[in-house]
Amino acid sequence: MQSKPQNPPSRHHFIPQFLLDQWKDGDTLLRYRRNRIGEIESSPASPKSVCFERDLYKTIGFPPEHAQQMETLFMQVIDDAAAKVHALLLDGKVNSLSDAQCSDWGRFVMSLWFRTPLDMRGMKDAVGALASAEAAKSVLRGDDGALPPEAVSALQMVVLRLVIDDADRGRAFINMDWRIIKTNNRRELFVSDWPLDVPVSFAWLGSASSYVTLPIGPETLFVAAGSTTLANRIVSLPERELITRQNRSTVGHAQAFVGARTRQAGDFIRANFGLRSRHSVKQSTADKYKRDAI
């Protein structure tokens, strides 16, 4: 007897549940978000109910059985592999990772740069740079493209795969000095819909001053630094300063969500929510193809 085929998932998480689960107190975490009048409000929420958008990675125009393949065959594969590495990193086993595990984690961290709803809207603007020289000029001018929605959607997914699996950026990230910092401070690290801390020139990793930090739990910070000297400097920061710097970035880059375990820093979250701008995906992609065309 054949099993009934499952419906393809339409709820696409841009921050996966294995990461959000670390901030649970019981079955829920504390969700901060901006309400309709612009105030930052908080309420308990399950990790399953935050950081998702329906059909975020759906390819328009594909048959129903294939329209969700970007989620099922790409994003879920990235997240499932990263969840296994995440468990090792929580145990501090960063130096015992295999090459394959480093690649899995690097791919996941790269995906965090480009997978939010804001990024996906930026991808729609950037796909013209792949179509033709004239289309690239149109993207740079900010004009609307003339491509049909189905073509825009398909190219959008191509661009997403390209930027996540960019070989140069991936190699640079894997070759950085990776560390795990366990904190003992009463202050917790937060998570958000864009929880990374990176330098302004983050799009092109590889220099000695490059770094990426990511909270992987309320008391655990992943660090990748462009040099051992920089890694040592980050690790040696006083915990209070380290946590505050990371939280300013995590909360400042938030677009719609900040997650916490407790309410003790609600004033900090409200004061810093969404204050930092991020590098434009549209401009990054357009610049890359503009340089290639020269």
Side-chain angles (χ1 to χ4, degrees), residues 77-288:
V77 171
I78 289 176
D79 292 347
D80 289 347
K84 298 174 183 178
V85 183
H86 178 254
L88 297 174
L89 294 177
L90 287 175
D91 287 338
K93 298 178 180 178
V94 65
N95 293 323
S96 62
L97 298 180
S98 67
D99 290 345
Q101 289 168 330
C102 288
S103 180
D104 289 340
W105 185 251
R107 202 175 184 215
F108 166 67
V109 175
M110 292 299 104
S111 79
L112 293 180
W113 262 302
F114 305 107
R115 61 193 285 182
T116 71
L118 179 64
D119 297 322
M120 294 305 295
R121 290 192 291 272
M123 293 292 179
K124 289 183 179 179
D125 294 331
V127 294
L130 290 174
S132 65
E134 182 55 38
K137 293 177 183 177
S138 175
V139 169
L140 293 173
R141 290 194 303 266
D143 300 339
D144 292 332
L147 294 172
E150 294 81 3
V152 171
S153 181
L155 281 173
Q156 181 185 17
M157 301 310 163
V158 170
V159 172
L160 182 59
R161 291 195 298 270
L162 286 174
V163 294
I164 290 175
D165 284 337
D166 183 274
D168 292 338
R169 189 183 291 124
R171 278 193 297 269
F173 181 75
I174 289 173
N175 288 329
M176 296 171 84
D177 190 335
W178 291 12
R179 307 285 182 94
I180 292 294
I181 300 176
K182 293 279 191 177
T183 64
N184 295 301
N185 198 282
R186 66 180 181 83
R187 294 171 176 82
E188 67 173 295
L189 294 160
F190 304 131
V191 68
S192 73
D193 46 22
W194 207 84
L196 302 165
D197 185 21
V198 295
V200 175
S201 58
F202 76 88
W204 314 114
L205 298 172
S207 73
S209 61
S210 299
Y211 67 88
V212 180
T213 58
L214 168 68
I216 60 173
E219 298 90 24
T220 311
L221 185 68
F222 169 80
V223 175
S227 68
T228 299
T229 300
L230 178 57
N232 289 338
R233 194 159 70 242
I234 294 173
V235 169
S236 64
L237 286 171
E239 279 195 356
R240 180 172 180 173
E241 180 182 351
L242 177 73
I243 293 169
T244 299
R245 288 178 58 168
Q246 179 63 49
N247 283 342
R248 281 202 181 108
S249 181
T250 299
V251 178
H253 286 128
Q255 298 161 17
F257 162 83
V258 171
R261 184 179 286 173
T262 70
R263 296 183 183 273
Q264 67 178 11
D267 290 343
F268 176 93
I269 293 173
R270 292 183 182 89
N272 290 275
F273 195 105
L275 293 185
R276 293 194 178 187
S277 60
R278 288 208 284 119
H279 189 83
S280 165
V281 171
K282 171 183 174 181
Q283 195 60 48
S284 174
T285 307
D287 287 349
K288 180 179 175 64

Side-chain angles (χ1 to χ4, degrees), residues 38-49:
E39 297 174 342
I40 306 302
E41 61 183 16
S42 63
S43 60
S46 70
K48 187 177 181 179
S49 68

